[in-house]
Amino acid sequence: MKILVSVKRVIDYNAKVRVKADNSDVDLANVKMALNPFCEIAVEEAIRLKEAGVASEVVVVSIGPKTVQEQLRTALALGADRAIQIDTEQMPEPLNVAKLLAKVVEAEQPGLVILGKQSIDSDNNQTGQMLAALTGRPQGTFASAVKVEGDKAVVTREVDGGLRTVELALPAIVTTDLRLNEPRYAKLPDIMKAKKKPLEVKTPTDLGVELKQHIELLKVEAPAARQAGIKVDSVDALVDKLKNEAKVI
Ligand code: AMP
């Protein structure tokens, strides 16, 4: 079985996010970029399924400018077999990503597509669901466990207040939640080897998809700055402040 993993390049989650002076967007100048953490989990799960003999090939795909090749190489170093970049100037919105992925799915016919549950930059949580709708494949979103049994995938989903286990007929779409696995680190020899693994570049035109923008970003605002805390000398002073200033007890 082939597994297709869709990975997004985002701001590294450790980096301090700055908003542009005109509030038009997040300032990406000189900011460290990385694999979206949920996509890292998706790559790890695919590699584990390959190591377990369930999958025979792991293909990673990313949509965006040439810089996304950096994240594709990271996924190749982690163990993916080959990569596809779909070259676009900007990071497209989820519906466009899903339409492009649907074309890749049509061409590659993977038994399983694994995506992150959400991008940590735009927090959409839409692409996997849209891809499932466009391809007519069953979906197991927010997965905290994935087991492939014959022509079915059993997916444990993290839902509000508990777990929900569903069985999907393959081919299917899965999106990863945080507890699915703990991704490995790429080893230096694997980073070197990844440079020689195949990376194919396609355009939306090659795939017959016209990108239409449906969403306009109006403005981005940083959260209000938090006030500095204070130290109190005693428990009595703390209780007094909680009672009379914060009025929470
Ligand atoms: P979102 O719907 O934007 O929150 O993203 C959910 C998941 O869709 C991500 O974790 C990725 O697996 C995939 N995805 C979103 N944008 C892209 C992109 N530009 N290239 C590849 N995969 C993407």
Side-chain angles (χ1 to χ4, degrees):
M1 180 178 72
K2 189 192 286 184
I3 301 183
L4 181 72
V5 185
S6 184
V7 297
K8 188 176 180 190
R9 172 183 169 93
V10 297
I11 288 191
D12 186 292
Y13 70 92
N14 291 307
K16 176 135 180 56
V17 176
R18 293 184 314 262
V19 174
K20 284 185 180 170
D22 63 359
N23 288 102
S24 61
D25 208 340
V26 168
D27 189 355
L28 293 182
N30 304 317
V31 178
K32 186 165 182 268
M33 303 295 282
L35 260 181
N36 183 43
F38 294 107
C39 299
E40 233 178 333
I41 294 171
V43 172
E44 177 67 31
E45 196 63 18
I47 294 163
R48 288 189 190 188
L49 287 167
K50 189 177 169 198
E51 287 169 345
V54 174
S56 50
E57 189 184 25
V58 176
V59 182
V60 281
V61 55
S62 192
I63 299 156
K66 191 165 184 215
T67 45
V68 305
Q69 289 189 10
E70 196 189 327
Q71 278 60 48
L72 286 171
R73 291 283 173 208
T74 303
L76 291 170
L78 290 168
D81 298 291
R82 63 186 169 90
I84 304 169
Q85 179 212 349
I86 303 174
D87 194 36
T88 61
E89 271 303 297
Q90 304 285 329
M91 283 293 181
E93 62 185 56
L95 184 56
N96 285 327
V97 174
K99 282 183 181 169
L100 292 164
L101 291 177
K103 291 291 182 184
V104 178
V105 168
E106 199 182 304
E108 296 281 345
Q109 291 296 320
L112 203 58
V113 185
I114 313 183
L115 304 92
K117 75 165 179 182
Q118 100 194 44
S119 322
I120 61 157
D121 52 358
S122 45
D123 269 349
N124 302 310
N125 176 17
Q126 296 171 6
T127 309
Q129 294 88 328
M130 287 176 172
L131 179 63
L134 291 173
T135 56
R137 293 180 170 207
Q139 59 183 310
T141 50
F142 312 110
S144 63
V146 176
K147 243 191 283 163
V148 176
E149 294 169 354
D151 56 358
K152 305 250 183 313
V154 178
V155 177
T156 305
R157 306 185 50 233
E158 299 216 358
V159 294
D160 254 0
L163 299 172
R164 193 164 190 260
T165 302
V166 293
E167 189 182 81
L168 316 173
L170 294 174
I173 313 283
V174 165
T175 74
T176 61
D177 215 320
L178 209 55
R179 274 172 281 266
L180 180 58
N181 60 49
E182 229 178 87
R184 68 195 69 188
Y185 291 100
K187 298 194 199 90
L188 190 59
D190 294 333
I191 295 172
M192 301 313 284
K193 270 190 236 156
K195 293 186 181 167
K196 296 214 173 90
K197 288 189 179 177
L199 192 160
E200 193 184 354
V201 181
K202 294 187 179 210
T203 64
T205 315
D206 294 338
L207 298 171
V209 176
E210 194 195 335
L211 302 185
K212 290 193 199 123
Q213 203 66 17
H214 305 89
I215 300 169
E216 190 189 347
L217 178 59
L218 299 180
K219 64 175 172 179
V220 175
E221 286 170 89
R226 288 176 67 183
Q227 283 182 350
I230 53 160
K231 268 190 182 169
V232 289
D233 298 330
S234 65
V235 173
D236 285 345
L238 174 65
V239 171
D240 178 65
K241 284 202 177 291
L242 290 174
K243 217 183 237 171
N244 300 315
E245 274 182 34
K247 298 195 184 352
V248 290
I249 55 171

